[in-house]
Amino acid sequence: MEILWVLMALAVLGFVLTRFLLRGGGRIEQVTPGHPDAADPATYGFVREEELDIRLPGPDQDLVDVLDLVQRTQDYRAAQQLLAGTETEGELRWQRVQSLAGAASLEMQQRPGGVSETPGGQWLRVWRAEAPKDAGGAAVHAEFLVQQAWRTSSPGTEEFRIIMEEARDACGQAALLAPGDPVPYIVELSVARGLAYPQPEFEQLWLKILDRAPAHMGAHLAALHHWCEKWHGSRKLAYSFAESAATRAPQGSLLAAMPLFAVFEHLPEVNLVRSFYQSEVVTKAIHGALFAVHAARPDDPMLAHVRHLLVFFLVRSERWSEAMTQLIHVDGHVGALPWALSADPAAEFATYRALAVGGYEANGGSPATLPH
């Protein structure tokens, strides 16, 4: 998730508007907030833009409480206990490792430290020093190094290579501490992309993940980046990888939504016409993702990720009612694609949300007609 995209919405809108004027014939038109005919997302109970949580894709109150406690006290033990109680095979552990590492990385960026200031993320350093055999701390440290490499340096530079090599060693240490845990190997997928692993080496790494968690959605998304044309693959390879994952997805798995992520990764930089988003390839991918959402467990940690991407595509396709149905499930949290790639995730999400509301009401919808 390290590369910043210039999303098409910014090219179209130029700046964020949060209200849309309803016109006849199902059309919507941008107007300033407060206009008497403007559609208002607040009437649907949606969270105000400034209150949107940009850290997570969906609710995880235990993680939020731990993050708040750790950052307030700089004591790692709550994070250690949280990961110790999180199953190793599931998606939740991977998301929590990412979030904890991201919090430490962001702290360091905001407070690099100095003569009289303790550097941010000190709690992670203390965790590794005081509990070197703790598998959770080792995994968070490995992911922290990966995020630091992408955040502070550029691929191809010597600084980037040095940090990524350190991250690779950290992944190996974390894997030794938890042989059955796929997370250290999933972290290494980002290392493989950054260091351009040869194909045989990448495939060996991927097989280790499949042995431990063959239907892990987060792992598949990380591997998809490797196979994209902007990295070490091509559009054809990425689509093939995504479609293969969707085909072999077990019942109730969100892997059926993988083709939609492959389409997103290969969106043309400038394609603002509606017909593209209503094309066969996009429509088929949307339908696959909708099927996956309907079949998934309500508590699947990856469900919010798929719903967020569906909001983007459904709005672009002018499928307003379906977009609203997804919004009522994810509103409040925006730490997911595509919003996380924006410089202002909350504003980006709010723009699409307002478009959905405006289009929905322009076609006869209202809070009373929206199913919950």
Side-chain angles (χ1 to χ4, degrees), residues 147-346:
Q147 293 193 29
Q148 281 295 100
W150 293 109
R151 192 187 298 271
T152 64
S153 55
S154 300
T157 64
E158 182 66 8
E159 180 186 8
F160 181 85
R161 185 193 64 78
I162 290 172
I163 300 175
M164 277 298 189
E165 291 286 1
E166 185 180 357
R168 173 155 52 179
D169 291 341
C171 289
Q173 295 170 18
L176 288 174
L177 292 171
D181 188 353
V183 169
Y185 299 103
I186 300 174
V187 175
E188 193 178 349
L189 286 173
S190 188
V191 177
R193 177 159 51 93
L195 295 180
Y197 279 20
Q199 184 172 337
E201 188 175 354
F202 180 85
E203 290 178 349
Q204 289 177 8
L205 173 61
W206 182 239
L207 287 175
K208 291 177 182 177
I209 295 171
L210 292 182
D211 285 344
R212 291 161 175 80
H216 199 290
M217 180 76 169
H220 280 78
L221 290 176
L224 177 64
H225 286 129
H226 185 91
W227 292 119
C228 287
E229 63 183 4
K230 63 180 177 285
W231 286 105
H232 309 297
S234 65
R235 182 188 301 263
K236 181 179 179 181
L237 283 171
Y239 276 39
S240 176
F241 175 80
E243 289 166 3
S244 176
T247 299
R248 68 171 187 272
Q251 179 66 30
S253 169
L254 286 165
L255 288 177
M258 284 296 297
L260 189 64
F261 286 87
V263 170
F264 178 77
E265 292 292 345
H266 294 87
L267 284 176
E269 290 187 6
V270 181
N271 193 325
L272 308 176
V273 296
R274 178 179 62 181
S275 60
F276 171 77
Y277 291 93
Q278 296 177 346
S279 64
E280 181 180 357
V281 64
V282 175
T283 299
K284 182 180 178 181
I286 289 175
H287 287 169
L290 286 171
F291 170 81
V293 164
H294 293 152
R297 302 189 330 267
D299 63 344
D300 191 315
M302 294 302 293
L303 185 55
H305 287 272
V306 180
R307 289 191 188 278
H308 278 291
L309 196 61
L310 273 169
V311 170
F312 172 87
F313 277 100
L314 291 170
V315 167
R316 281 291 177 185
S317 303
E318 299 185 10
R319 296 166 65 166
W320 312 116
S321 179
E322 292 169 290
M324 291 292 287
T325 299
Q326 301 306 317
L327 279 168
I328 62 176
H329 289 287
V330 298
D331 188 71
H333 298 82
V334 296
L337 286 174
W339 331 118
L341 300 179
S342 169
D344 190 341

Side-chain angles (χ1 to χ4, degrees), residues 30-51:
Q30 298 172 12
V31 295
T32 57
H35 190 287
D37 294 326
D40 186 359
T43 62
Y44 294 84
F46 290 146
V47 175
R48 294 169 59 88
E49 180 182 326
E50 58 269 25
E51 296 174 356

Side-chain angles (χ1 to χ4, degrees), residues 62-110:
D62 288 342
L63 175 59
V64 169
D65 291 343
V66 165
L67 281 172
D68 290 344
L69 179 62
V70 168
Q71 292 183 310
R72 186 175 68 254
T73 66
Q74 290 296 298
D75 187 335
Y76 68 87
R77 284 174 292 184
Q80 181 183 37
Q81 292 170 3
L82 180 70
L83 288 185
T86 306
E87 63 173 352
T88 58
E89 295 81 8
E91 306 280 354
L92 192 59
R93 183 178 180 84
W94 166 232
Q95 291 193 27
R96 287 175 169 176
V97 165
Q98 282 188 304
S99 296
L100 289 166
S105 180
L106 186 58
E107 278 185 43
M108 177 172 284
Q109 181 181 5
Q110 294 172 339

